[in-house]
Amino acid sequence: MHYPSDVLVMGSGLAGLSYALKVADFATVNLVTKRELTETSTAKAQGGIAAVLGPDDRFEYHIQDTLTVGEGLSHPDIVELVVRQGPERIRELVGLGAHFDVGKDKNFDLGREGGHSHRRIIHAHDMTGAEVERILSERVLAHPNIRVLEHHMGVNLITEEKVVRRGRSVINRDATCLGAYILNTRTGEVDTFLAGITLMATGGVGKVYLYTSNPDIATGDGVAMAYRAGALIGNMEFVQFHPTCLYHPEAKNFLISEAMRGEGAVLRDRQGQAFMEHYHPLKDLAPRDIVAQAIDAEMKKSGADCVYLDISHKPGDFIRERFPNIYQECRKFGYDMAQEPIPVVPAAHYMCGGVVTDDLGRTTIHNLYAVGEVSMTGLHGANRLASNSLLEALVFSHQAARSAKEILPGLKKPTDADVPEWNPLGATDSTEMVVVSHNWDEIRRCMWNYVGIVRSDRRLTRAQSRIDLIKQEIEEYYWNFLVTSDLLELRNIATVADIIIKCALSRKESRGLHYTLDYPRRDDGHFQKDSLLSLDGWR
Ligand SMILES: Cc1cc2nc3c(=O)[nH]c(=O)nc-3n(C[C@H](O)[C@H](O)[C@H](O)COP(=O)(O)OP(=O)(O)OC[C@H]3O[C@@H](n4cnc5c(N)ncnc54)[C@H](O)[C@@H]3O)c2cc1C
């Protein structure tokens, strides 16, 4: 089946929803999302959105904080663009009906987070993302110009050069995107979605790692699709890890807030010894990345599966009142944190790199845009300032919509005659899904052990050779059997793992979120530049 529209949007987090709403005023939109509409990282965001809204705050301060955390790789023009638009984009959200917490003075109750010099985090209790997702999805579902298709998963982008002209070369210096092949995961059919403009808003890559705070949808599909189509990808070595996720086989993705350490919780090894004093003068209150590195070092040293976070020395009533949600959640898994330490591990949390875009969200493929966590705009550089990611998605969905308004009238829309149907090439139903689950586990474990928080050339090279083998096996498998969402996600995490390793190996220094034992210092002379990679090679 062919599904034409002016604009195709892949993804229903903040980036996809807010873009769809904006372009629907002048265009028809097909919005596909691979699970339920609100199954997104956006819906899980707790802290809030950073913007200059307080009386003492200034754009210059927010710009400086972002640049400082980005460690020399944030692009100053993009930082300025994002920061200056912040208040206006927040006002738009409020105009749509989003409710954020206000203080007694009726002004926004602004929170403060690590790395911010001023209070500037607008929030809805500790469920900001859920509130934003709620209001945007309501509006999108009610819009007559937007058709929403849940359980529809992007398989591959359709580019004129590769699919239509069937060019032998995989490298498209001047490729044009015409839409995407989309798998209906309920029926198993792959349909052709044609569009003048395609926007990827497919979110992050957390599932590439064994432990992650991300929901199951975060398998890096957008990065993998764009890479296969020839787009430029950047800075994928910069993966942010959250120091403390609950360690329990059934407690998938449950974050233990850093506020616990703020209230006196202490990290201990399995012998009960506190260890943070060996790593930083601030001990348990050291910056997030140092804490994650320390936990990783302790686990690698002892071979233990986790470390322990202990707040049991505080009165039980205080703990239950200050952390009601975390307390209840831990009880569900059999831990009473008022009585005993709880097991924790660091977890992959946010990808600073992604599909390279300009200030309008345009990728290096014509008519293909990327917004949100899937993109690399130049905002974050080598590390992300807390709560800047939702802001980035808001600002860039606006920028990309502005660009769409300008170019759509002049675009020749692709027609059915231009594009062949998806061809399964004689593939049959798989009888060996065990191969998929085995490789899935192997990739995630390999990335966790060798390409995690603390890296070395030896670990990275070992990971590279394993991932090469797995990729080869997947490619053979992929062409023989009909595509399923599991198989597609496996292929995508393998591609993303490969890109992360390549970027990490190429950066012979430590900077921001990339820490390697072989080159423990920052080297501005050689490496104050983005890592930019496409099928073509390095740029
Ligand atoms: C637990 C947690 C807490 C966080 N807290 C904060 C915070 O307080 N402040 C902040 O700024 N950031 C926070 N972040 C980060 C932030 O939430 C994300 O970076 C942001 O929500 C990403 O938005 P997005 O629209 O790009 O992607 P997402 O919200 O993840 O949406 C991605 C969408 O793409 C769809 N999709 C994926 N692949 C395909 C495919 N192949 N085909 C079709 N659809 C596809 C998914 O189904 C989903 O609908 C947090 C993240 C997590 C996980």
Side-chain angles (χ1 to χ4, degrees):
M1 285 252 294
H2 284 232
Y3 289 84
S5 62
D6 295 327
V7 174
L8 168 64
V9 176
M10 278 186 261
S12 56
L14 172 57
L17 293 176
S18 92
Y19 173 84
L21 263 187
K22 290 196 174 214
V23 292
D25 286 343
F26 53 84
T28 56
V29 181
N30 279 329
L31 185 148
V32 297
T33 185
K34 70 176 172 178
R35 304 262 164 93
E36 312 274 316
L37 190 66
T38 57
E39 201 175 327
T40 61
S41 286
T42 299
K44 296 186 124 230
Q46 301 170 346
I49 312 176
V52 176
L53 297 161
D56 310 330
D57 202 2
R58 290 219 223 130
F59 290 136
E60 290 72 22
Y61 299 153
H62 189 181
I63 290 170
Q64 190 51 54
D65 293 345
T66 304
L67 291 172
T68 303
V69 170
E71 285 217 34
L73 291 193
S74 295
H75 302 187
D77 54 333
I78 296 295
V79 175
E80 176 147 5
L81 171 92
V82 172
V83 166
R84 287 192 184 276
Q85 276 197 28
E88 202 180 329
R89 302 282 79 83
I90 298 285
R91 274 195 288 278
E92 271 173 11
L93 271 184
V94 173
L96 287 174
H99 294 295
F100 297 109
D101 292 4
V102 288
K104 286 195 188 107
D105 58 1
K106 302 276 186 260
N107 290 321
F108 289 127
D109 173 35
L110 298 173
R112 184 159 172 187
E113 288 183 342
H116 288 275
S117 58
H118 287 73
R119 291 192 163 268
R120 62 170 75 102
I121 316 298
I122 184 167
H123 58 101
H125 308 295
D126 57 356
M127 294 171 291
T128 311
E131 172 63 4
V132 171
E133 184 81 21
R134 175 192 72 79
I135 194 70
L136 289 175
S137 51
E138 262 176 40
R139 294 301 171 113
V140 159
L141 286 170
H143 203 297
N145 267 357
I146 306 175
R147 172 162 51 173
V148 174
L149 295 124
E150 292 180 312
H151 304 286
H152 278 67
M153 174 176 188
V155 177
N156 277 340
L157 293 167
I158 300 170
T159 57
E160 201 166 9
E161 290 69 14
K162 237 170 123 174
V163 177
V164 180
R165 291 196 213 130
R166 296 189 173 267
R168 284 175 58 81
S169 165
V170 287
I171 301 162
N172 317 272
R173 282 183 203 284
D174 275 312
T176 301
C177 184
L178 306 177
Y181 290 118
I182 305 283
L183 170 71
N184 178 335
T185 57
R186 291 263 158 89
T187 64
E189 299 285 321
V190 177
D191 295 316
T192 310
F193 281 67
L194 298 180
I197 288 177
T198 302
L199 175 99
M200 283 194 304
T202 46
V205 310
K207 297 295 282 189
V208 172
Y209 286 93
L210 186 59
Y211 300 115
T212 177
S213 65
N214 292 187
D216 289 346
I217 51 97
T219 48
D221 298 0
V223 171
M225 280 189 273
Y227 183 69
R228 285 196 289 271
L232 194 64
I233 311 295
N235 286 356
M236 294 286 289
E237 65 274 42
F238 298 115
V239 183
Q240 189 170 59
F241 289 83
H242 193 286
T244 50
C245 242
L246 185 62
Y247 177 71
H248 186 283
E250 280 153 40
K252 242 181 15 183
N253 318 329
F254 188 66
L255 273 192
I256 305 291
S257 163
E258 288 173 82
M260 287 247 309
R261 280 177 286 117
E263 296 294 352
V266 175
L267 284 159
R268 299 186 188 280
D269 63 17
R270 63 181 158 188
Q271 272 79 42
Q273 295 298 320
F275 57 79
M276 277 311 297
E277 64 201 58
H278 306 307
Y279 295 91
H280 198 277
L282 288 173
K283 299 185 196 166
D284 295 273
L285 295 179
R288 181 188 271 203
D289 308 326
I290 307 281
V291 178
Q293 281 169 17
I295 297 175
D296 185 73
E298 288 293 318
M299 286 168 58
K300 289 233 163 61
K301 211 161 56 186
S302 66
D305 291 331
C306 62
V307 295
Y308 297 86
L309 187 65
D310 186 7
I311 197 169
S312 60
H313 49 282
K314 293 273 175 183
D317 287 345
F318 166 79
I319 294 171
R320 282 183 286 272
E321 206 170 294
R322 177 70 180 80
F323 303 108
N325 186 32
I326 298 177
Y327 181 80
Q328 282 309 332
E329 203 60 25
C330 288
R331 280 310 296 256
K332 273 199 229 156
F333 296 106
Y335 305 112
D336 181 348
M337 62 192 217
Q339 305 289 331
E340 61 193 331
I342 51 174
V344 292
V345 282
H349 189 52
Y350 184 80
M351 170 48 86
C352 291
V355 185
V356 174
T357 74
D358 66 6
D359 60 335
L360 293 171
R362 295 181 296 198
T363 70
T364 51
I365 294 182
H366 297 303
N367 305 338
L368 176 68
Y369 290 65
V371 173
E373 196 168 333
V374 68
S375 66
M376 186 217 119
T377 64
L379 177 72
H380 307 301
N383 197 352
R384 173 189 70 132
L385 182 65
S387 290
N388 260 0
S389 34
L390 291 174
L391 175 67
E392 181 190 43
L394 268 182
V395 169
F396 273 86
S397 54
H398 177 78
Q399 294 293 98
R402 262 184 51 203
S403 172
K405 190 167 189 181
E406 215 165 276
I407 68 163
L408 261 180
L411 275 188
K412 180 182 161 292
K413 273 205 288 174
T415 64
D416 295 2
D418 295 333
V419 178
E421 300 266 352
W422 173 259
N423 185 353
L425 291 170
T428 56
D429 270 328
S430 165
T431 47
E432 287 183 84
M433 281 310 278
V434 64
V435 175
V436 174
S437 63
H438 178 83
N439 281 334
W440 174 262
D441 286 344
E442 198 172 337
I443 293 172
R444 298 181 70 208
R445 208 168 275 282
C446 168
M447 290 299 286
W448 182 256
N449 287 331
Y450 303 136
V451 197
I453 299 164
V454 178
R455 299 162 181 174
S456 69
D457 278 353
R458 224 169 105 203
R459 287 177 192 165
L460 292 173
T461 314
R462 190 173 294 171
Q464 182 74 78
S465 54
R466 296 207 178 168
I467 297 292
D468 283 349
L469 275 179
I470 297 173
K471 268 178 58 196
Q472 205 179 321
E473 201 171 306
I474 295 169
E475 276 311 302
E476 283 162 20
Y477 197 88
Y478 181 82
W479 296 111
N480 288 336
F481 298 111
L482 290 171
V483 293
T484 61
S485 55
D486 289 347
L487 181 53
L488 292 173
E489 288 183 345
L490 173 68
R491 186 167 75 135
N492 291 337
I493 64 163
T495 303
V496 170
D498 182 46
I499 302 173
I500 295 175
I501 297 167
K502 286 196 164 77
C503 287
L505 269 171
S506 77
R507 188 170 285 284
K508 308 283 188 207
E509 64 158 357
S510 292
R511 178 190 297 269
L513 299 166
H514 174 67
Y515 179 69
T516 161
L517 296 168
D518 294 314
Y519 314 95
R521 297 199 195 301
R522 178 168 150 176
D523 176 0
D524 281 349
H526 296 96
F527 292 103
Q528 190 160 7
K529 57 183 186 190
D530 296 322
S531 312
L532 299 175
L533 178 68
S534 73
L535 280 178
D536 229 349
W538 294 100
R539 163 102 51 98

Short mmCIF file of all heavy atoms in Angstrom, two decimals, residues 10-32:
data_model
loop_
_atom_site.label_atom_id
_atom_site.label_comp_id
_atom_site.label_asym_id
_atom_site.label_seq_id
_atom_site.Cartn_x
_atom_site.Cartn_y
_atom_site.Cartn_z
N MET A 10 8.20 10.43 11.84
CA MET A 10 8.42 9.15 12.54
C MET A 10 8.72 9.46 13.99
O MET A 10 9.77 10.05 14.29
CB MET A 10 9.59 8.41 11.92
CG MET A 10 9.22 7.62 10.69
SD MET A 10 10.63 6.63 10.14
CE MET A 10 11.24 7.68 8.87
N GLY A 11 7.81 9.09 14.90
CA GLY A 11 8.07 9.29 16.33
C GLY A 11 7.03 10.19 16.97
O GLY A 11 6.59 11.19 16.38
N SER A 12 6.63 9.83 18.20
CA SER A 12 5.56 10.57 18.87
C SER A 12 5.98 11.05 20.26
O SER A 12 5.18 11.09 21.18
CB SER A 12 4.30 9.70 18.96
OG SER A 12 4.60 8.48 19.61
N GLY A 13 7.28 11.39 20.41
CA GLY A 13 7.71 12.08 21.63
C GLY A 13 7.51 13.58 21.43
O GLY A 13 6.83 14.02 20.49
N LEU A 14 8.15 14.35 22.30
CA LEU A 14 8.01 15.80 22.20
C LEU A 14 8.38 16.31 20.81
O LEU A 14 7.67 17.15 20.22
CB LEU A 14 8.92 16.47 23.25
CG LEU A 14 9.05 17.98 23.17
CD1 LEU A 14 7.71 18.67 23.27
CD2 LEU A 14 9.95 18.49 24.29
N ALA A 15 9.48 15.80 20.23
CA ALA A 15 9.96 16.31 18.95
C ALA A 15 8.92 16.07 17.85
O ALA A 15 8.53 17.00 17.13
CB ALA A 15 11.28 15.64 18.59
N GLY A 16 8.47 14.83 17.72
CA GLY A 16 7.54 14.48 16.63
C GLY A 16 6.19 15.14 16.79
O GLY A 16 5.62 15.68 15.83
N LEU A 17 5.66 15.13 18.01
CA LEU A 17 4.31 15.69 18.23
C LEU A 17 4.30 17.19 18.02
O LEU A 17 3.40 17.74 17.38
CB LEU A 17 3.83 15.36 19.65
CG LEU A 17 3.57 13.89 19.97
CD1 LEU A 17 3.20 13.74 21.45
CD2 LEU A 17 2.48 13.30 19.10
N SER A 18 5.31 17.87 18.57
CA SER A 18 5.23 19.33 18.49
C SER A 18 5.49 19.79 17.06
O SER A 18 4.87 20.74 16.58
CB SER A 18 6.12 20.00 19.54
OG SER A 18 7.36 20.26 19.06
N TYR A 19 6.35 19.08 16.32
CA TYR A 19 6.56 19.40 14.90
C TYR A 19 5.27 19.15 14.10
O TYR A 19 4.84 19.98 13.30
CB TYR A 19 7.71 18.55 14.36
CG TYR A 19 7.92 18.66 12.88
CD1 TYR A 19 8.69 19.70 12.33
CD2 TYR A 19 7.37 17.73 12.00
CE1 TYR A 19 8.89 19.80 10.96
CE2 TYR A 19 7.56 17.82 10.63
CZ TYR A 19 8.32 18.86 10.12
OH TYR A 19 8.52 18.96 8.76
N ALA A 20 4.66 17.99 14.33
CA ALA A 20 3.44 17.63 13.57
C ALA A 20 2.37 18.70 13.76
O ALA A 20 1.71 19.12 12.80
CB ALA A 20 2.93 16.26 14.03
N LEU A 21 2.21 19.14 15.00
CA LEU A 21 1.18 20.15 15.28
C LEU A 21 1.46 21.44 14.51
O LEU A 21 0.54 22.08 13.99
CB LEU A 21 1.19 20.50 16.76
CG LEU A 21 0.19 19.81 17.65
CD1 LEU A 21 0.26 20.41 19.04
CD2 LEU A 21 -1.23 19.90 17.10
N LYS A 22 2.73 21.81 14.44
CA LYS A 22 3.08 23.07 13.77
C LYS A 22 2.88 22.97 12.26
O LYS A 22 2.34 23.87 11.64
CB LYS A 22 4.52 23.46 14.08
CG LYS A 22 4.65 23.89 15.53
CD LYS A 22 5.91 24.64 15.81
CE LYS A 22 5.83 25.13 17.26
NZ LYS A 22 6.45 26.38 17.50
N VAL A 23 3.33 21.85 11.64
CA VAL A 23 3.21 21.78 10.18
C VAL A 23 1.78 21.49 9.73
O VAL A 23 1.41 21.79 8.60
CB VAL A 23 4.18 20.75 9.54
CG1 VAL A 23 5.62 21.20 9.67
CG2 VAL A 23 4.00 19.37 10.10
N ALA A 24 0.97 20.92 10.62
CA ALA A 24 -0.40 20.57 10.23
C ALA A 24 -1.23 21.81 9.89
O ALA A 24 -2.26 21.70 9.24
CB ALA A 24 -1.07 19.78 11.35
N ASP A 25 -0.75 22.98 10.27
CA ASP A 25 -1.47 24.21 9.90
C ASP A 25 -1.39 24.48 8.40
O ASP A 25 -2.20 25.22 7.86
CB ASP A 25 -0.86 25.42 10.63
CG ASP A 25 -1.27 25.41 12.10
OD1 ASP A 25 -2.23 24.69 12.43
OD2 ASP A 25 -0.61 26.12 12.89
N PHE A 26 -0.40 23.90 7.71
CA PHE A 26 -0.28 24.19 6.27
C PHE A 26 0.03 22.93 5.45
O PHE A 26 0.36 23.01 4.27
CB PHE A 26 0.80 25.25 6.03
CG PHE A 26 2.14 24.93 6.66
CD1 PHE A 26 3.05 24.12 6.01
CD2 PHE A 26 2.46 25.42 7.93
CE1 PHE A 26 4.27 23.83 6.59
CE2 PHE A 26 3.69 25.11 8.52
CZ PHE A 26 4.59 24.32 7.85
N ALA A 27 -0.02 21.73 6.08
CA ALA A 27 0.35 20.52 5.35
C ALA A 27 -0.41 19.31 5.88
O ALA A 27 -0.88 19.31 7.02
CB ALA A 27 1.86 20.28 5.52
N THR A 28 -0.51 18.27 5.04
CA THR A 28 -1.07 17.00 5.53
C THR A 28 0.07 16.18 6.13
O THR A 28 1.18 16.17 5.60
CB THR A 28 -1.72 16.20 4.39
OG1 THR A 28 -0.74 15.99 3.36
CG2 THR A 28 -2.93 16.93 3.83
N VAL A 29 -0.24 15.48 7.23
CA VAL A 29 0.82 14.79 7.97
C VAL A 29 0.43 13.33 8.23
O VAL A 29 -0.67 13.06 8.71
CB VAL A 29 1.05 15.46 9.35
CG1 VAL A 29 2.16 14.77 10.12
CG2 VAL A 29 1.36 16.95 9.20
N ASN A 30 1.32 12.41 7.91
CA ASN A 30 1.22 11.04 8.42
C ASN A 30 2.22 10.92 9.56
O ASN A 30 3.42 11.16 9.37
CB ASN A 30 1.59 10.00 7.35
CG ASN A 30 0.44 9.72 6.41
OD1 ASN A 30 -0.73 9.79 6.81
ND2 ASN A 30 0.74 9.40 5.15
N LEU A 31 1.74 10.58 10.74
CA LEU A 31 2.65 10.42 11.89
C LEU A 31 2.64 8.95 12.29
O LEU A 31 1.60 8.42 12.69
CB LEU A 31 2.21 11.30 13.05
CG LEU A 31 3.14 11.32 14.27
CD1 LEU A 31 3.11 12.67 14.96
CD2 LEU A 31 2.79 10.24 15.29
N VAL A 32 3.79 8.29 12.13
CA VAL A 32 3.87 6.87 12.51
C VAL A 32 4.69 6.74 13.79
O VAL A 32 5.63 7.51 14.03
CB VAL A 32 4.51 6.00 11.41
CG1 VAL A 32 3.67 6.01 10.15
CG2 VAL A 32 5.94 6.42 11.10
#
